[in-house]
Amino acid sequence: MSPKDLTVNLPNRVQRYLKALKDSDYSGEILTSHADRLINATDNSIYQVMPQSVLAPRVQKDLNIIMESGAHEDYKSVKFMPRGGGTGTNGQSLNDCIIIDTSKYLTRILEINKSEGWVKVEPGVVLDQLNAELQKQNLFFPVHISPSKSCTLGGMVATDACGKGSRVFGKTSDYCISLSCLLADGREIETQNYFNDDLSDMLAQNMDEIKKHAPQMPRGLSAFDLIGAFDNNQLNMTKLIAGSEGSLAVLKEIKLKVIPKPDPKTLVAVFYDDFDTALRHATDILEHNPLAIETIDDRILDLARGDILWHDFKAIFPKKVDPSAIGALHCIEFADDVPATLLKALEDHPSILGFSVHIDPDQVKNVTALRSKCVGLLGNMEGYRRPIPFIEDTAVPPENLADYIADLKALLTSHNLECGMFGHVDAGCLHVRPALDLRLEEDEAFIRTLTDEVVTLVQKYGGVLWGEHGKGMRSEYTEQLVGTPYYKVMQDVKALLDPHNKLNPGKIAGPHVKAIDDVPLRSQHDRQISDEHNVTFPKATQCNGNGLCFSAMSDDTMCPSYKITKDRKHSPKGRAAMLREWMQLDNTDKKAADTFSHEVFDALHGCLSCKACTSTCPIHVNIPDMKVDFLNRYYKGKHRPYRDYLIGRAETFSSFAHLLPKFDRLFGLVDLPSASKRTKEILLKNKDYPPPTPENIKRTENPVIVVQDAYTTFYEPELVKSVLELLQKLGYTPLLAPFRQSGKSWHVRGFSEKFKNIALANIAHLENMSELGAPMIGIDPSITLVYRDEYHKILDRKPKYSVLLLQEFLSVVVQSRDLPKIQKIPQSTYPLFLHCTEKTMKPQSADEWATLLKAFDINTEVIETGCCGMAGAYGHEAEHVEYSKGLYELSWKGKVNDTALVTGYSCRSQIHRLEDFTVKHPLELLNELL
């Protein structure tokens, strides 16, 4: 690929169409850069299909303009693919045409009618966003699918999505009252009022034959539900469009039925020693009419042990159950109390290790969180063979499931393939992902081999290949699974409504349906990446596109830069994809790689290095670390901005940082805080807090070494003094380690060698202090965690030191000591705000802070927030300052008041900048009250 190929090289007709669109009243975005197209070339599947361009309509009228312009005689050959959240596993939203991205701007909830039980939304509204708004009126949209934080309602309608609880709650189409949509010729229709005699006659004439061959199960049909579309001998256009995967119409507005929010669920967690036993027991459980039975196998449970959610999940284990003996888990949900007959049956079952019943919403949430994360956890398997989706939503009648899975396991074993399994046992739909290394041609061949074999197998058991996740690139199997009469009518419907094959061409039932062998794979690009790059940037190629980083929920910690920009280049998935592309180019065309590296730089420059992706992402796609390695390479032979050196020296400049605000604009910095002029007086010259030396250790009782950080020492010395005083009140003698820069500010700017030298010197210093035998604690979480994350990564051995977070140390201390009493606590509960890095890298932090403060009868409530928007230098960079303030408005504004307790320096700094009050660190309050 040459550098000029990195610009759009489109068919002339497409270029003219885009120019005409630009010259029209269209107000949305027209994105043609290589990066924008690349981000939309993948979804949560194995495929990579480069679109011609991406349109992001801002208002509904833009959709009309797109389709009306496209229907012009000159543009009959211009084709479109509507796209939502891009969470599909089978390439439903991928095509080599023009993508219409409704997820960026068409995100309004237009109307909620509580009395009539319906809601109107634009297609880009995310499922969890909808339910958050509905909850305010005690309403609920009951179709539940795992990527609920990032999947759009438009995408759910397009695939007729269903998931947990579908046996009771049904599929998305069951709740579609009407769809406002645009046909390929530009006409706008309201499906509830749409009549088409030709279509009705076609269905009426063929319905008997269609029903003879259609799969006889609730999840048997996907895309063109012809039987549902001819309900009571009448055309139901809503049922026809729902599930058509954007191949018949472009959604503009959706009217959905909603229901009163059900009472909190009761959940029964049942532990088995064997997966087959769990599957065979499911039919007995179904007799007790649960809302859902979700099952997880031992492989996924093993992977969960290394994930952030395990801390909360392990609390559900019955005491008598040995976690290492668990071979499977059923999560059984009930709307009301668990039937006593089921509890008795569980107690008597010989192959059940144990079970636990949960009614507390937080405990139920902890269990269901594991189930929601199964896809991502499988993607975090070690080794080059990764669990791959392509046969992963097969479904059979539930009574046939255990036998089908036994045969499927035997089939996979015959090919020496491993897999993990999870899913909806009550609906006969288990998700199965064989582990393949698709960079190897012999493993790529398994896609065809296994798909053919599994289609034959599901037919044997009366099932289908696509029980949940749509057809997408697997459309070639439609005729085999639904029968020729059914498939022929599907083709006729497509020809009638989209005669020029303009919408999502090549899929479902068009004139030229693609074969699975003819679709490009991501892995085919990965084969061109060098071993050196694979070692340096391993997580870039391991990203499976699950889309958790596209969370639309403002209080999630995951990826603040995506939340504020709504640009998928500025997400972990987007950045990983761009790094993959750059690595591939770097091995095949250095000039092209150099050209594209600037786009990669722009995407990574917006990263706040908050580390949420390193733990919240189930694949642990570590963008901050990859950003450092990329910047280190990017600047080789290039002039670095002076600002990078200034920021790199931020920790050592801190002692005279009160001068820096005078020069901030010169370096593109804004609102730099003034360092305290009292640091020397309070800390550096205070003889009450001697350094940790062997002599001082010997003559002190209960010594504790406080490891200073630049931010609290030079900007908040009063806080450091409060911590030292508090330690004394608790019977300890604090020894204040001499200040040393951590190197974090050099690290985040990509000065790898500089950081390594600082880190190695500090490791030696910390290990020397550790030999003194006193515990070491740090105050600011972001710096303290550098000592055990970035430092540990540069060592080829286990470190001989440990620097504890404040709450790690003190939450244990208060359980074993007589504590001083607080005479009066000013308020009943204090809101507690945790630093992003602290929450994601040390998920026990909230419990530890609560334990610590509760020991002094101080009640706290942890407030759920996303990033405050400061993140070190990010909030002070001129190009990011508005984003920084926007992030604060998005999640923190209105939740923080002057009684808030805030653990992170950067968060307190942001509050000080944007509010007319300051807030305290929890230990400042505790010290004052004591």
Side-chain angles (χ1 to χ4, degrees):
M1 182 183 289
S2 65
K4 64 184 174 63
D5 291 328
L6 293 173
T7 60
V8 181
N9 186 15
L10 298 178
N12 182 262
R13 198 175 295 273
V14 172
Q15 292 190 46
R16 287 193 289 110
Y17 167 77
L18 293 176
K19 184 179 185 307
L21 192 65
K22 185 178 180 180
D23 294 340
S24 70
D25 291 334
Y26 175 74
S27 65
E29 295 177 345
I30 302 174
L31 306 170
T32 58
S33 76
H34 188 68
D36 285 308
R37 296 162 62 221
L38 179 70
I39 300 310
N40 286 275
T42 59
D43 56 2
N44 191 14
S45 71
I46 58 178
Y47 307 106
Q48 180 165 325
V49 183
M50 198 70 161
Q52 294 170 333
S53 61
V54 181
L55 305 178
R58 292 182 189 275
V59 295
Q60 289 187 26
K61 182 183 176 183
D62 287 335
L63 287 172
N64 293 78
I65 296 172
I66 290 170
M67 297 308 297
E68 288 168 3
S69 300
H72 191 276
E73 188 67 32
D74 287 348
Y75 308 127
K76 286 278 176 71
S77 64
V78 176
K79 302 181 187 299
F80 302 93
M81 171 69 248
R83 177 174 172 131
T87 59
T89 59
N90 297 297
Q92 296 96 315
S93 61
L94 305 182
N95 221 313
D96 56 356
C97 56
I98 296 175
I99 297 290
I100 303 173
D101 177 14
T102 61
S103 70
K104 192 169 185 179
Y105 299 114
L106 298 181
T107 57
R108 294 181 302 159
I109 298 172
L110 301 167
E111 185 178 357
I112 298 175
N113 189 314
K114 184 176 182 178
S115 61
E116 296 181 17
W118 54 261
V119 60
K120 278 186 181 178
V121 300
E122 291 182 322
V125 172
V126 167
L127 176 58
D128 276 0
Q129 281 182 315
L130 174 62
N131 274 325
E133 284 301 310
L134 291 174
Q135 186 173 2
K136 297 174 184 177
Q137 300 195 37
N138 202 36
L139 294 172
F140 182 62
F141 182 69
V143 178
H144 176 87
I145 58 177
S146 294
S148 58
K149 293 180 179 179
S150 49
C151 68
T152 65
L153 271 298
M156 291 180 67
V157 171
T159 56
D160 198 6
C162 62
K164 184 178 73 174
S166 65
R167 195 177 64 87
V168 175
F169 289 121
K171 302 188 289 186
T172 301
S173 61
D174 297 321
Y175 296 87
C176 291
I177 297 172
S178 189
L179 307 171
S180 296
C181 48
L182 297 157
L183 300 180
D185 60 7
R187 285 181 297 154
E188 182 172 348
I189 66 167
E190 187 79 28
T191 59
Q192 192 175 26
N193 304 317
Y194 181 81
F195 301 98
N196 184 310
D197 290 338
D198 292 337
L199 199 51
S200 294
D201 291 345
M202 185 191 306
L203 293 175
Q205 292 167 13
N206 292 279
M207 192 51 58
D208 289 342
E209 281 298 306
I210 287 171
K211 287 182 177 180
K212 278 183 192 177
H213 297 89
Q216 301 300 308
M217 53 181 294
R219 294 190 179 210
L221 299 176
S222 166
F224 295 19
D225 179 2
L226 301 183
I227 297 172
F230 201 63
D231 186 28
N232 295 321
N233 294 322
Q234 269 192 316
L235 176 64
N236 184 334
M237 192 66 173
T238 305
K239 283 279 190 181
L240 187 61
I241 297 297
S244 63
E245 299 183 19
S247 66
L248 294 181
V250 176
L251 296 174
K252 181 178 177 182
E253 193 172 293
I254 304 166
K255 185 177 181 181
L256 295 166
K257 179 172 66 175
V258 293
I259 64 174
K261 184 168 177 58
D263 293 330
K265 297 189 264 307
T266 303
L267 185 141
V268 185
V270 187
F271 303 91
Y272 299 84
D273 58 3
D274 177 76
F275 189 54
D276 183 70
T277 302
L279 295 183
R280 296 190 185 281
H281 189 217
T283 52
D284 294 337
I285 298 172
L286 282 173
E287 295 176 4
H288 300 275
N289 199 32
L291 286 178
I293 309 174
E294 298 287 303
T295 302
I296 301 170
D297 76 355
D298 57 329
R299 182 171 298 276
I300 296 172
L301 290 169
D302 285 342
L303 292 166
R305 288 178 174 85
D307 192 82
I308 189 174
L309 56 68
W310 190 255
H311 167 70
D312 294 324
F313 177 71
K314 65 184 180 183
I316 73 163
F317 292 148
K319 290 182 180 179
K320 70 174 185 176
V321 172
D322 175 8
S324 65
I326 298 172
L329 165 68
H330 274 335
C331 303
I332 311 167
E333 293 186 10
F334 288 92
D336 300 307
D337 294 336
V338 183
T341 51
L342 174 61
L343 295 176
K344 179 67 168 64
L346 294 178
E347 288 172 357
D348 295 342
H349 199 289
S351 297
I352 290 176
L353 299 176
F355 66 92
S356 54
V357 179
H358 306 278
I359 57 174
D360 179 80
D362 288 336
Q363 286 191 333
V364 172
K365 182 181 177 182
N366 292 338
V367 182
T368 55
L370 173 61
R371 167 58 190 89
S372 296
K373 216 170 182 180
C374 284
V375 171
L377 289 169
L378 277 174
N380 203 36
M381 281 175 61
E382 295 295 327
Y384 288 114
R385 277 191 159 180
R386 321 292 298 169
I388 302 299
F390 62 99
I391 55 167
E392 63 103 42
D393 59 325
T394 57
V396 299
E399 62 273 18
N400 297 340
L401 182 62
D403 290 335
Y404 162 67
I405 291 297
D407 281 359
L408 179 57
K409 278 191 165 186
L411 174 63
L412 295 171
T413 300
S414 72
H415 292 298
N416 297 312
L417 296 177
E418 298 180 81
C419 71
M421 297 188 179
F422 62 96
H424 322 291
V425 173
D426 55 325
C429 180
L430 265 188
H431 300 303
V432 179
R433 295 192 169 205
L436 300 172
D437 182 358
L438 294 184
R439 296 175 306 166
L440 304 175
E441 291 185 9
E442 56 265 36
D443 273 22
E444 182 182 325
F446 276 123
I447 297 172
R448 164 62 67 185
T449 301
L450 283 175
T451 307
D452 286 349
E453 291 175 338
V454 168
V455 167
T456 300
L457 192 59
V458 294
Q459 284 186 294
K460 171 185 173 181
Y461 287 102
V464 292
L465 180 61
W466 37 69
E468 181 167 310
H469 293 160
K471 289 185 172 67
M473 301 299 184
R474 307 175 295 179
S475 299
E476 67 169 283
Y477 294 97
T478 305
E479 184 173 2
Q480 183 176 345
L481 284 163
V482 302
T484 299
Y486 196 116
Y487 184 66
K488 180 64 172 64
V489 177
M490 289 176 69
Q491 289 183 305
D492 291 343
V493 169
K494 172 72 172 176
L496 181 65
L497 294 177
D498 183 14
H500 298 287
N501 195 26
K502 293 176 69 68
L503 297 178
N504 202 2
K507 284 182 267 180
I508 311 302
H512 306 291
V513 172
K514 294 173 183 174
I516 56 173
D517 316 282
D518 296 335
V519 186
L521 306 179
R522 281 185 290 178
S523 54
Q524 291 165 349
H525 298 265
D526 294 342
R527 291 171 194 166
Q528 302 173 56
I529 296 173
S530 69
D531 290 341
E532 179 196 354
H533 280 329
N534 271 322
V535 170
T536 307
F537 304 97
K539 292 296 184 180
T541 54
Q542 289 176 16
C543 172
N544 66 359
N546 67 76
L548 185 63
C549 51
F550 297 153
S551 170
M553 307 310 288
S554 60
D555 293 338
D556 273 1
T557 53
M558 178 54 104
C559 202
S561 53
Y562 169 69
K563 280 191 181 64
I564 196 62
T565 63
K566 292 296 182 186
D567 186 336
R568 297 198 170 189
K569 294 192 299 293
H570 293 283
S571 69
K573 178 183 172 180
R575 289 164 178 146
M578 294 183 71
L579 282 166
R580 284 176 56 247
E581 185 81 352
W582 168 74
M583 288 189 288
Q584 177 241 319
L585 291 172
D586 196 50
N587 200 40
T588 57
D589 189 328
K590 296 289 185 184
K591 288 184 179 179
D594 188 58
T595 300
F596 188 60
S597 69
H598 305 308
E599 294 196 61
V600 182
F601 174 86
D602 289 340
L604 290 171
H605 181 58
C607 170
L608 285 76
S609 296
C610 68
K611 297 188 182 180
C613 57
T614 67
S615 54
T616 306
C617 168
I619 312 299
H620 303 168
V621 173
N622 191 328
I623 295 299
D625 275 6
M626 291 193 288
K627 171 186 172 184
V628 169
D629 289 321
F630 175 80
L631 290 177
N632 190 46
R633 284 163 170 75
Y634 179 79
Y635 279 118
K636 281 182 178 174
K638 293 188 180 76
H639 173 71
R640 272 186 177 269
Y642 290 120
R643 183 173 71 179
D644 279 8
Y645 294 97
L646 179 67
I647 292 172
R649 291 185 171 90
E651 291 182 286
T652 51
F653 278 174
S654 294
S655 56
F656 54 91
H658 58 284
L659 301 175
L660 288 181
K662 297 179 182 178
F663 306 101
D664 56 0
R665 296 280 174 181
L666 184 63
F667 297 101
L669 297 171
V670 177
D671 297 340
L672 287 180
S674 295
S676 173
K677 297 178 181 179
R678 299 189 62 209
T679 295
K680 288 184 179 179
E681 168 199 343
I682 294 175
L683 299 177
L684 303 185
K685 293 185 176 181
N686 194 326
K687 295 181 180 179
D688 292 337
Y689 308 116
T693 63
E695 295 76 19
N696 289 336
I697 290 284
K698 286 179 184 176
R699 60 170 175 253
T700 57
E701 186 177 354
N702 295 327
V704 175
I705 299 171
V706 176
V707 181
Q708 295 188 71
D709 64 84
Y711 305 107
T712 57
T713 290
F714 295 107
Y715 293 90
E716 298 180 320
E718 292 86 356
L719 166 58
V720 183
K721 187 179 180 185
S722 288
V723 172
L724 298 169
E725 290 175 348
L726 179 63
L727 289 169
Q728 290 174 316
K729 292 173 184 177
L730 296 178
Y732 286 91
T733 303
L735 303 175
L736 192 60
F739 168 73
R740 296 170 69 101
Q741 64 172 319
S742 71
K744 179 180 173 73
S745 52
W746 289 110
H747 185 257
V748 296
R749 309 308 283 197
F751 290 91
S752 298
E753 285 303 312
K754 180 76 172 174
F755 172 72
K756 183 177 180 180
N757 292 334
I758 292 170
L760 288 173
N762 280 343
I763 288 169
H765 175 66
L766 291 169
E767 290 185 336
N768 287 336
M769 285 197 297
S770 181
E771 291 178 0
L772 297 175
M776 294 189 292
I777 59 176
I779 297 177
D780 188 66
S782 69
I783 299 297
T784 304
L785 290 167
V786 168
Y787 300 138
R788 56 212 258 182
D789 183 21
E790 286 87 351
Y791 278 23
H792 289 194
K793 289 172 183 172
I794 67 172
L795 283 177
D796 57 2
R797 59 173 173 81
K798 187 176 181 180
K800 301 173 185 176
Y801 70 88
S802 175
V803 183
L804 300 175
L805 296 162
L806 290 172
Q807 71 274 16
E808 282 181 304
F809 176 68
L810 291 174
S811 61
V812 175
V813 165
V814 295
Q815 296 179 53
S816 59
R817 286 178 171 261
D818 292 329
L819 304 177
K821 301 296 182 184
I822 297 175
Q823 298 303 314
K824 183 179 179 182
I825 300 173
Q827 62 187 58
S828 59
T829 303
Y830 286 85
L832 178 63
F833 295 78
L834 303 184
H835 190 279
C836 285
T837 307
E838 183 180 22
K839 284 189 287 189
T840 57
M841 295 192 67
K842 188 64 169 60
Q844 303 94 321
S845 289
D847 292 342
E848 289 168 346
W849 278 116
T851 298
L852 166 58
L853 295 170
K854 186 63 179 175
F856 295 93
D857 296 324
I858 298 174
N859 295 315
T860 57
E861 178 189 2
V862 176
I863 307 300
E864 295 296 328
T865 57
C867 179
C868 73
M870 180 52 75
Y874 177 90
H876 297 301
E877 292 171 330
E879 67 272 26
H880 291 143
V881 69
E882 292 306 315
Y883 286 152
S884 172
K885 292 176 180 178
L887 282 167
Y888 184 84
E889 296 275 342
L890 191 64
S891 183
W892 285 60
K893 185 73 174 177
K895 296 179 182 179
V896 180
N897 57 39
D898 58 5
T899 68
L901 306 177
V902 182
T903 63
Y905 163 75
S906 58
C907 311
R908 294 189 297 274
S909 174
Q910 180 78 312
I911 293 167
H912 179 74
R913 172 168 76 164
L914 299 179
E915 302 281 9
D916 58 0
F917 55 80
T918 58
V919 293
K920 291 184 173 68
H921 186 281
L923 296 194
E924 280 184 293
L925 173 72
L926 183 55
N927 185 54
E928 288 175 9
L929 295 180
L930 287 173

